[in-house]
């Protein structure tokens, strides 16, 4: 690329250049934030000419995201992990549910080698996600014990490039972690966590509201004063016009910020995520927006407009309807009120997801089945050695020994 007499990346072949070991090498890689004498140049828009230059896009597979021997495959826009047998999940991080009893597209998670938990999609609830639930004020449960966040995903918000305003209300869950490090909403350039991606996000950190955006030339951030926790419902109004952003929280004074650099447009193409994010790993979010947990509490009356002449409206196509979601319940409803766990089991709810956490010695959806002395979950485990087969008896068990072994527990050759 040429800027007058300045050449970026390489020089034309007819120019005299210093040769290294008899070869001429042009730069291979990505260049961002190009400045000359403290003046930022738009690398493409202000160039006088160039050759063999394309948009920078570091493949996500270069970060080696797949676990447990998974193979990463990517192209210019998408990536996925090909998982070996016995593993599943976006990153091959989970053991597979061999017999998936979950309904309606729920995410199956192996709670143990024999029991599963069904993480319910939007609009469904219950042990196996078979019950329909009407959601007018969504309730989010943050990050569950299995590492998944509850979230809603809406279609990409159009015409957000130069101007937007958001209004929403939220009610926090009644525990300290709801204030610490929690994502409220997010939308990004590709939603792949690549450095330099444009993004817009809102969250909570140490009891304060944090609003950030990146137009491609640096992150602008506004942090509110600490929330007044005597208020039951908090109100947020935020916006941006070109580089200038502003944030109004409850009765606090309006705060403003101007983004660095000279870029003025927000280019985001991912869905609009509310309450959390589809991927549970914050490393897959762009730097500057890596909240560790999803929102914990209720979010309602979310509205947006992309012009001062427009009326506010709910996100989604059709309006107010999410494309997908996970473990989102109706505010103030408790799915555990419909579940009775037996034999000392405790009902655990995470949004619309609900399951029984059984005491030692019990298993099953409602903790009604005993764990056999020969099952892996039994505490203490059986003592059969060297491939011996554990066989339960009315009292205790015996070990059937393979050829070449003997003894009570097959411990002798």
């Amino acid at each position: 690329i040429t800027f007058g007499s300045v050449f970026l990346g390489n020089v034309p072949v007819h120019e005299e250049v210093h040769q290294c070991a008899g070869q001429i090498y042009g730069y291979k890689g990505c260049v961002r934030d190009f400045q000359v004498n403290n003046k930022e140049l738009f690398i493409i828009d202000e160039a006088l000419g160039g050759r063999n230059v394309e948009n920078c896009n570091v493949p996500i597979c270069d970060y080696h995201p797949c676990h447990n021997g998974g193979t990463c495959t990517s192209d210019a826009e998408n990536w996925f992990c090909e998982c070996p047998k016995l593993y599943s999940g976006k990153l091959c991080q989970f053991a597979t549910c061999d017999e998936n009893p979950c309904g309606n597209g729920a995410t199956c998670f192996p709670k143990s080698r024999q029991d599963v938990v069904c993480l319910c999609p939007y609009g469904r609830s219950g042990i196996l996600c078979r019950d329909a639930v009407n959601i007018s004020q969504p309730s989010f449960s943050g990050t569950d014990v299995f590492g998944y966040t509850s979230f809603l995903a809406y279609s990409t918000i159009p015409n957000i490039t130069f101007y937007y305003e958001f209004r929403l209300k939220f009610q926090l869950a009644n525990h300290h972690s709801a204030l610490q490090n929690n994502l409220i909403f997010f939308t990004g350039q590709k939603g792949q966590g690549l450095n330099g991606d444009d993004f817009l996000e809102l969250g909570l950190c140490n009891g304060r509201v944090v609003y950030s955006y990146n137009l491609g030339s640096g992150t602008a951030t506004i942090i509110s004063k600490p929330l007044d926790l005597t208020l039951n419902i908090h109100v947020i109004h935020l916006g941006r016009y070109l580089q200038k952003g502003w944030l109004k929280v409850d009765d606090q004074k309006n705060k403003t910020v101007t983004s660095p650099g000279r870029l003025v447009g927000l280019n985001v193409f991912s869905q609009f995520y509310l309450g959390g994010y589809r991927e549970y790993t914050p490393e897959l979010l762009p730097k500057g927006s890596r909240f560790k947990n999803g929102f914990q509490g209720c979010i309602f009356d979310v509205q947006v407009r992309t012009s001062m002449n427009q009326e506010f409206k709910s996100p989604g196509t059709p309006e107010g309807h999410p494309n997908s979601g996970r473990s989102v319940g109706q505010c103030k409803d408790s799915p555990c009120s419909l579940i009775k766990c037996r034999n000392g089991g405790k009902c655990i709810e995470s949004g619309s997801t609900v399951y029984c956490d059984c005491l030692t010695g019990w298993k099953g959806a409602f903790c009604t089945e005993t764990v056999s002395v020969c099952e892996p979950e039994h505490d203490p485990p059986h003592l059969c050695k060297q491939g011996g087969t554990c066989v339960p008896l009315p009292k205790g068990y015996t070990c059937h020994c393979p050829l070449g072994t003997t003894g009570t527990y097959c411990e002798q050759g």
Side-chain angles (χ1 to χ4, degrees), residues 81-96:
C81 294
E82 296 181 16
C83 301
K85 192 175 181 180
L86 301 179
Y87 291 97
S88 64
K90 178 73 173 180
L91 306 178
C92 305
Q93 71 273 39
F94 302 130
T96 303

Side-chain angles (χ1 to χ4, degrees), residues 158-173:
N159 306 318
I160 202 174
T161 305
F162 300 114
Y163 182 91
Y164 58 74
E165 281 186 77
F166 285 88
R167 299 191 305 202
L168 62 88
K169 300 176 183 177
F170 66 83
Q171 186 175 19
L172 293 168

Side-chain angles (χ1 to χ4, degrees), residues 286-338:
K287 286 185 176 179
S289 64
R290 291 181 177 174
F291 289 93
K292 293 181 180 179
N293 297 301
F295 187 78
Q296 299 175 30
C298 302
I299 303 176
F300 43 94
D301 296 345
V302 180
Q303 295 182 315
V304 60
R305 68 178 182 182
T306 54
S307 169
M308 292 186 67
N309 301 322
Q310 285 182 346
E311 295 290 328
F312 280 92
K313 65 178 184 178
S314 300
T317 306
E319 182 180 345
H321 290 264
N323 293 339
S324 62
R326 179 176 58 224
S327 297
V328 175
Q330 170 67 4
C331 191
K332 298 181 180 180
D333 280 0
S334 172
C336 276
S337 64
L338 305 175

